[in-house]
Amino acid sequence: MAGRPGYLTLPIFSVLAAIGYVYYTAVFLAVPRWLGLSTAAGVANAAAFTALAAACLATYAVAVRRDPGRVPPGYAPDVEDAESTVHEIKRKSGDLRYCQKCCHYKPPRAHHCRVCKRCVLKMDHHCIWINNCVGHENYKIFLVFVLYAVVASFYAMILITGSVMHSVPKDEQSGSDSSRTSIIICGVILSPLALALAVLLGWHIYLILQNKTTIEYHEGVRAMWLAEKGGDLYHHPYDLGVYDNLISVLGPNIFCWLCPVSNTVGNGLRYRTSYDIAKSTPPM
């Protein structure tokens, strides 16, 4: 059973244990065996990996603790607002989306999470590994954490591979056999983990480039099928173009895109759409 959002759970302890295990193996076993902690190269690699591990821990803690975005009490969409070009409605009835469990209207891109038991702004998914939803307020932090984790995983794999392939002098072999076994075990565990994280990162980069959430992707597959069935073309309304899509998620400052800070655009209650761009474009 999942714990309450923001609380420590078994998956969270598993992630922390994995980070600690990989860090210990890379810095205290792999680097000394391959480069030695008394050399400049060894110290530099140990320091670099320590900084990367610290960045992983910091962004992970923020992703766990940060609220993904709440719907304000009493929120109601303004259907007469000329600036709101898109209002999401229910597929069957055509009514504005209303959450019966939270007793309020749903803003665009918001969804109800059964685990968190509330609606989340621009909900992407509920992640058991952070015991929290990934939404408007913490999506970038989650993405940056996954990026740091991918870099750290492949960095650790390089250190592990180098240490395993490095030949140890005969007078030191007796003490290095056990460390070599530990390093190999870590490498075997880390390989599928690094691959899974890389796939996850690639998936979210794909979503960002189209300005979609995971939920919107699956909804879009059905919408595209229905549109083609009716002889129409489906276009994701929040797709603003690659650059504007990146800005909407990573922030307006390109130099802070990979920084572990959350500079979300907007309040999560209204989003720019391709129709806004079409309205602002002057006629030829």
Side-chain angles (χ1 to χ4, degrees):
M1 183 175 179
R4 293 171 58 188
Y7 283 64
L8 296 179
T9 58
L10 181 59
I12 291 179
F13 281 115
S14 300
V15 172
L16 295 176
I19 293 175
Y21 175 58
V22 172
Y23 175 77
Y24 172 80
T25 303
V27 174
F28 295 102
L29 296 181
V31 171
R33 177 184 171 85
W34 183 22
L35 303 170
L37 286 177
S38 60
T39 64
V43 171
N45 278 276
F49 194 83
T50 298
L52 193 55
C56 285
L57 279 174
T59 51
Y60 181 69
V62 175
V64 170
R65 295 297 302 171
R66 176 158 295 174
D67 193 291
R70 292 178 177 271
V71 179
Y75 167 80
D78 187 358
V79 295
E80 298 181 356
D81 184 5
E83 295 184 358
S84 297
T85 54
V86 172
H87 293 285
E88 296 181 356
I89 59 176
K90 294 181 179 180
R91 186 183 301 115
K92 295 182 179 179
S93 64
D95 297 330
L96 291 172
R97 297 191 310 141
Y98 187 85
C99 182
Q100 299 292 342
K101 296 179 179 179
C102 297
C103 299
H104 59 60
Y105 286 98
K106 294 180 182 179
R109 314 182 81 175
H111 295 274
H112 186 87
C113 176
R114 291 175 294 179
V115 179
C116 297
K117 294 181 173 57
R118 66 181 178 89
C119 288
V120 176
L121 297 178
K122 194 186 175 185
M123 179 178 172
D124 185 90
H125 69 286
H126 184 89
C127 179
I128 65 169
W129 301 106
I130 64 173
N131 190 33
N132 199 2
C133 273
V134 178
H136 175 74
E137 294 292 340
N138 66 346
Y139 183 85
K140 183 196 170 182
I141 291 293
F142 172 80
L143 180 73
V144 172
F145 162 69
V146 174
L147 173 64
Y148 288 170
V150 169
V151 175
S153 297
F154 282 98
Y155 190 2
M157 287 300 300
I158 293 173
L159 295 175
I160 287 172
T161 303
S163 66
V164 170
M165 296 180 64
H166 176 68
S167 59
V168 179
K170 289 185 178 181
D171 57 340
E172 301 178 8
Q173 283 184 355
S174 58
S176 66
D177 287 342
S178 60
S179 64
R180 186 174 186 273
T181 302
S182 300
I183 293 170
I184 292 175
I185 293 174
C186 182
V188 170
I189 297 174
L190 186 58
S191 297
L193 177 61
L195 180 60
L197 287 171
V199 171
L200 179 64
L201 178 63
W203 167 248
H204 281 283
I205 291 175
Y206 166 78
L207 292 177
I208 289 174
L209 293 178
Q210 300 191 49
N211 204 357
K212 292 181 180 180
T213 63
T214 301
I215 294 175
E216 289 169 350
Y217 170 81
H218 293 292
E219 290 178 341
V221 170
R222 176 175 173 78
M224 186 179 300
W225 177 76
L226 291 174
E228 291 178 353
K229 188 178 180 180
D232 298 323
L233 292 176
Y234 171 76
H235 175 74
H236 182 56
Y238 301 105
D239 187 357
L240 310 175
V242 172
Y243 181 69
D244 285 330
N245 290 344
L246 289 170
I247 287 178
S248 67
V249 174
L250 303 178
N253 190 344
I254 191 173
F255 298 105
C256 294
W257 279 3
L258 303 182
C259 297
V261 293
S262 180
N263 47 356
T264 53
V265 176
N267 57 8
L269 300 178
R270 182 184 182 277
Y271 294 90
R272 288 181 64 207
T273 67
S274 54
Y275 305 107
D276 295 325
I277 297 177
K279 278 200 326 179
S280 61
T281 303
M284 296 296 292

